[in-house]
Amino acid sequence: GQPLGILNTPGIGATSLTLTTVDALLLAILDAIASVETNHGSPNAIVMHPRTWTRILKAQTAGGVFLIEPGFSGNANDFSQPRTGFRGPTKTLWGYPVVLSNRVPTNLGVGTNESRVIVGDFSECLILDRQGLTVDESPHVYFTTNQTVFRAEMRVGFTAARTPAAINVVGGAGLANG
């Protein structure tokens, strides 16, 4: 009965990525979106490590055109657009918000250098309250400086086991170092 985390939950969909190109990564993300839409309904977010997002943003065609619009191009009209040099690129792919988290592992796979991209309807996941908020204080730690130390602690869990079809994980050798 312990929460296992998204990557270890039985029944979670998986999309394999073996090619290392950003084109292949974007197609795999589209396949993951289609899988969630087919088996559950519309996803509400795409979660990935910041280095994966940066890899997508940097990708260019052979002619030097960015696959994803990187932001301000020097045109004064660009300042009214959602992607600008001041605000950075809008984090969306095909209208779905991209959420970056440095908690997405980057040490998976045979070479321990693979990451994952998680597509899902996260409203179907549960946050479990294991222990309510407790606040403790100690006036003794910094007694000589007349200071009090406070500690707040709450124990929670997260599970995707309620509706595993709402989640699809893109993974494989194609996400090595990305």
Side-chain angles (χ1 to χ4, degrees), residues 10-22:
I12 296 291
T15 300
S16 180
L17 176 64
T18 55
L19 299 175
T20 59
T21 65
V22 173

Side-chain angles (χ1 to χ4, degrees), residues 59-79:
Q60 299 177 22
T61 66
V65 176
F66 286 100
L67 295 179
I68 303 292
E69 182 184 320
F72 180 63
S73 67
N75 184 333
N77 293 330
D78 284 350
F79 289 110

